[in-house]
Amino acid sequence: MRAARLIKMVLLLQSRPSMTAAELARELEVSERTVTRDAQALSEAGVPVYADRGRTGGYRLIGGYRTRLTGLARGEAEALFLSGVPGALREMGLEDAASAARLKVSAALLPSMQGASRTAAQRFHLDAPGWFHEPAPSELLPAVADAVWDDRRITARYRRPGGGGEPERDVERELEPYGLVLKGGVWYLCARVESGTYRVYRIDRFTAVTAGETRFARDPEFGLPEFWEERAEQFARAILRTAVVVRLSGTGARQLRHAVGRASAEEALDAAGPPDGEGRVTVTVAVESEDVAYTQLLTLGPEVEVLEPPGLRARFTEAAARTARLYE
């Protein structure tokens, strides 16, 4: 424990011109008294740690001292590529590994380049979850992430949603965990099942995960981004089971993608005929259901007129009448 802390202290001092005892104590999560003792121990071991006294003093390495203890462990190197997604690192239990990796990289850089990571962090940040969504990561996510990193088979029990009056039920599967995807604050596992096909599972539906000792042979042709893009497109199309016919103003046509989604809007507008005498176009839009269409298209206000189905048009007629009464 102390040896690791001493190495980290050397790496910190190597990556910066100097650091105060308070700064080192905060980074190492110890007291300033412990920092003083550790600096003394390093000095006695031959590491040229120099202490500047006074109110603006601190610790620094002298004589151009450079340690070679900067080699990245495998886990640190892998975590480094996720360092732009701090929330995801936390949820997968990789925050410490990423911190150690960043420190080693900073220590290995030339002095003129050591501010690069801080400069980038001040200018770019990825906030993965959507607005008004409180992510609730599963407690089993770190175990799944470990299995993904190590290519270990897992036995997973998960809640399968009910349908057609059927209740939810627990199902157990042997999985080869290929990759994790964070979509809008929700974690998904892409895994290969016994049949050799690939499926997607929501991590928050897992109720138990046990990692085996055997590793699986990963298919070198499998690409996680490509697989996810294809599967996401299939899912988006599969849920669009209803068609509605609407007339759109120019403004409504431009805003349609924000109401029903880009793919559905572009497909509808590409198939549209020329504008009518009022400058409106008639399009057929694929939607999930009439209830969903009502909620989505209502955001367009007077820029949309629903023509079919009759039941949805009647709902819009009634909504327009209620709105008009509010403003009489």
Side-chain angles (χ1 to χ4, degrees):
M1 179 70 177
R2 191 189 185 199
R5 190 175 70 241
L6 292 175
I7 291 173
K8 185 174 182 179
M9 184 174 180
V10 173
L11 291 173
L12 283 167
L13 293 175
Q14 185 172 309
S15 64
R16 307 179 195 182
S18 68
M19 295 183 69
T20 66
E23 290 171 336
L24 284 168
R26 185 166 55 253
E27 291 281 354
L28 300 173
E29 298 181 350
V30 296
S31 66
E32 293 186 31
R33 186 181 296 273
T34 299
V35 168
T36 301
R37 287 199 298 266
D38 286 351
Q40 180 65 31
L42 287 172
S43 182
E44 292 173 355
V47 178
V49 177
Y50 180 78
D52 290 316
R53 306 296 178 185
R55 188 165 55 112
T56 59
Y59 293 91
R60 60 187 175 89
L61 295 175
I62 61 175
Y65 180 84
R66 307 285 293 176
T67 178
R68 295 185 180 275
L69 296 173
T70 55
L72 291 179
R74 178 183 173 87
E76 294 169 346
E78 290 168 338
L80 185 62
F81 288 99
L82 289 169
S83 59
V85 197
L89 285 169
R90 251 190 330 271
E91 292 169 10
M92 288 192 291
L94 297 173
E95 191 172 27
D96 290 342
S99 175
R102 287 192 295 269
L103 183 57
K104 290 182 178 182
V105 169
S106 294
L109 293 173
L110 294 172
S112 61
M113 299 177 62
Q114 285 172 356
S117 61
R118 186 169 60 254
T119 299
Q122 289 172 339
R123 289 163 172 79
F124 301 101
H125 175 70
L126 175 62
D127 182 11
W131 289 108
F132 315 116
H133 176 79
E134 193 66 31
S138 168
E139 294 179 357
L140 299 175
L141 177 59
V144 177
D146 285 344
V148 170
W149 292 126
D150 293 339
D151 293 340
R152 293 187 184 275
R153 289 187 175 89
I154 62 173
T155 301
R157 190 166 66 248
Y158 69 97
R159 294 188 308 276
R160 172 176 285 178
E166 293 288 330
E168 289 188 344
R169 60 189 180 94
D170 276 5
V171 179
E172 190 169 277
R173 288 285 185 269
E174 298 288 330
L175 303 175
E176 295 179 353
Y178 263 63
L180 289 166
V181 175
L182 178 61
K183 170 71 171 178
V186 179
W187 284 96
Y188 297 88
L189 172 67
C190 303
R192 185 165 61 183
V193 298
E194 293 177 357
S195 63
T197 59
Y198 296 92
R199 296 183 182 175
V200 177
Y201 300 87
R202 276 184 65 140
I203 298 294
D204 59 8
R205 287 193 170 272
F206 284 177
T207 58
V209 172
T210 304
E213 293 299 322
T214 58
R215 288 185 169 87
F216 62 88
R218 182 176 286 268
D219 182 358
E221 300 298 321
F222 179 84
L224 182 59
E226 294 79 10
F227 169 77
W228 178 259
E229 182 178 3
E230 179 183 352
R231 189 56 59 92
E233 184 176 348
Q234 290 175 359
F235 174 77
R237 290 186 177 278
I239 64 174
L240 302 179
R241 303 184 182 94
T242 303
V244 300
V245 181
V246 298
R247 289 177 71 232
L248 297 166
S249 68
T251 300
R254 289 191 296 272
Q255 294 178 350
L256 184 63
R257 65 189 303 269
H258 302 296
V260 302
R262 180 184 58 81
S264 184
E266 289 181 355
E267 186 173 311
L269 292 170
D270 287 344
D276 58 22
E278 297 179 6
R280 290 180 174 254
V281 293
T282 299
V283 300
T284 300
V285 185
V287 294
E288 186 174 345
S289 66
E290 285 192 28
D291 286 341
V292 172
Y294 177 76
T295 302
Q296 291 176 332
L297 296 174
L298 204 59
T299 63
L300 297 180
E303 310 304 330
V304 62
E305 177 190 358
V306 175
L307 302 179
E308 297 178 14
L312 184 60
R313 179 177 175 86
R315 292 177 68 178
F316 269 79
T317 301
E318 196 270 336
R322 284 192 288 120
T323 303
R325 285 196 296 270
L326 287 175
Y327 289 93
E328 286 178 351

